[in-house]
Amino acid sequence: MILKRDEPLAPRTSYRIGGTAEYFFIPERMEEVPQAMSYCRAKGLDLRVLGGGTNVLVGDRGWPAVLSLERFKHTDAFGPFAKAEAGASFPAFVKKLADNSSKGAEALCGIPGTVGGALLMNAGGHYGEIGEFVKRVKVVEADGRIVSLDREQCGFRYRESDLKNRIILSADFEFSEGDREEIRTRMRDIFQKKKASQPLHSHSAGCVFKNPPGLSAGRMIDECGFKGTRIGGAAVSVLHANFLTNDDDASASDMLELISRIQGQIKERHGVELELEIKVWS
Ligand code: EPU
């Protein structure tokens, strides 16, 4: 297993924000994941897994211990079945699914990150979520046991799952067969829609807040007049108000201040607590 010290985390996140990891583990075999966990437990270090870093705001002081599954990237799709290791690129996996005529893949296009992160968050949008297609997920339990969970045991719901206190290693999926050209056309269509309404080329972590039941966080923030608001280098996107971007060397504290200003205003105007969709490591 590779162990780095004081590894910069900002370049490993889409926000390009955050301090260093005091300990940064890169296991080369699955069995090394529980070893890293027990090492951290013995030293009293809080270990977090970093996937594609596309949904996380790392604090300016960084994090004590981080594990990357970047050596586990294998994916496969054959007939109705597919499998993927947690460190695989989610967009590359989705493309493979589309090439395999797996119906439903189109709903997952335009989502960045790794397969592990997508599973943990039950990534998706208006068109569908990854959890719908899961058969089994292989995880390391908090006590170090490697077990296989059925979909029902994963507790997939809106942008959440019961996988969060576990480390996801890999998953098996099942899709029905669709028409490859139809899937590709729909994918292009969904991607165009996202490109028109989301700042896909900025340093962001996608939507920052969950949509409260029956409401749209983006619309509420927009209606409060927040688009373009800046604190330090952090800004509310003018394209989509639920996207906060790092426009100019923002610090995590700039971003957190902007987040809490938005939450305060929405609470005052609508009486609604906006819950974070991104993970904050601070
Ligand atoms: N809207 C505004 N102003 C804005 C943004 C949105 O008025 O600045 C309005 C839109 O016009 C629309 C409504 O709000 O009527 C909903 O907006 P949108 O269609 O963009 O969808 P969303 O609910 O904001 C969700 C996911 C996105 C996902 C899209 C498309 C959440 C929090 N967000 O966005 O996911 O890409 O649907 O499927 O569930 C993410 O999770 O990071 C993410 C980007």
Side-chain angles (χ1 to χ4, degrees), residues 126 158-159 198 207 209 211 216 219 222 227 240-241 277:
H126 299 317
Y158 172 59
R159 290 306 193 280
Q198 302 182 354
C207 285
F209 304 101
N211 286 332
S216 157
R219 183 182 298 140
D222 189 358
K227 276 185 172 171
H240 195 301
E277 200 247 82

Side-chain angles (χ1 to χ4, degrees), residues 55 110-111 124-127 158-159 190 194 197-198 205-211 215-220 222-223 227 237-243 277:
N55 204 45
I111 298 174
H126 299 317
Y127 315 98
Y158 172 59
R159 290 306 193 280
I190 294 174
K194 286 195 179 177
S197 65
Q198 302 182 354
C207 285
V208 169
F209 304 101
K210 291 182 185 173
N211 286 332
L215 296 168
S216 157
R219 183 182 298 140
M220 290 197 289
D222 189 358
E223 285 171 358
K227 276 185 172 171
S237 165
V238 291
L239 265 184
H240 195 301
N242 200 1
F243 280 63
E277 200 247 82

Side-chain angles (χ1 to χ4, degrees), residues 73-131:
K73 290 173 176 248
H74 182 73
T75 63
D76 215 347
F78 43 95
F81 304 112
K83 50 173 63 196
E85 289 183 330
S89 150
F90 190 63
F93 178 52
V94 170
K95 177 165 185 313
K96 187 175 270 190
L97 292 171
D99 291 344
N100 184 54
S101 312
S102 306
K103 197 170 170 192
E106 64 277 17
L108 305 171
C109 77
I111 298 174
T114 56
V115 169
L119 286 165
L120 178 85
M121 293 294 299
N122 190 19
H126 299 317
Y127 315 98
E129 297 170 337
I130 184 69

Side-chain angles (χ1 to χ4, degrees), residues 91-266:
F93 178 52
V94 170
K95 177 165 185 313
K96 187 175 270 190
L97 292 171
D99 291 344
N100 184 54
S101 312
S102 306
K103 197 170 170 192
E106 64 277 17
L108 305 171
C109 77
I111 298 174
T114 56
V115 169
L119 286 165
L120 178 85
M121 293 294 299
N122 190 19
H126 299 317
Y127 315 98
E129 297 170 337
I130 184 69
E132 294 166 37
F133 308 104
V134 164
K135 272 188 80 74
R136 261 180 308 274
V137 182
K138 196 193 221 185
V139 299
V140 188
E141 296 284 11
D143 63 7
R145 279 176 310 125
I146 296 181
V147 302
S148 192
L149 306 172
D150 294 335
R151 177 159 51 111
E152 295 68 36
Q153 295 171 285
C154 297
F156 291 115
R157 48 201 182 274
Y158 172 59
R159 290 306 193 280
E160 257 196 74
S161 72
D162 292 338
L163 299 168
K164 58 187 164 231
N165 297 317
R166 296 153 154 158
I167 293 183
I168 301 163
L169 296 177
S170 63
D172 291 319
F173 304 87
E174 188 169 359
F175 292 83
S176 57
E177 194 185 340
D179 178 87
R180 195 182 315 176
E181 276 323 300
E182 218 171 273
I183 292 169
R184 285 185 176 153
T185 308
R186 198 157 142 64
M187 228 163 170
R188 267 195 295 271
D189 203 45
I190 294 174
F191 190 68
Q192 286 308 325
K193 277 200 186 121
K194 286 195 179 177
K195 221 167 89 178
S197 65
Q198 302 182 354
L200 298 185
H201 297 295
S202 299
H203 294 312
S204 89
C207 285
V208 169
F209 304 101
K210 291 182 185 173
N211 286 332
L215 296 168
S216 157
R219 183 182 298 140
M220 290 197 289
I221 301 167
D222 189 358
E223 285 171 358
C224 279
F226 271 113
K227 276 185 172 171
T229 301
R230 291 180 71 114
I231 293 184
V236 179
S237 165
V238 291
L239 265 184
H240 195 301
N242 200 1
F243 280 63
L244 306 187
T245 56
N246 171 10
D247 284 3
D248 186 17
D249 220 2
S251 62
S253 46
D254 292 340
M255 202 54 85
L256 289 169
E257 214 180 307
L258 190 53
I259 287 171
S260 87
R261 193 185 289 180
I262 293 169
Q263 284 173 321
Q265 276 269 335
I266 298 289

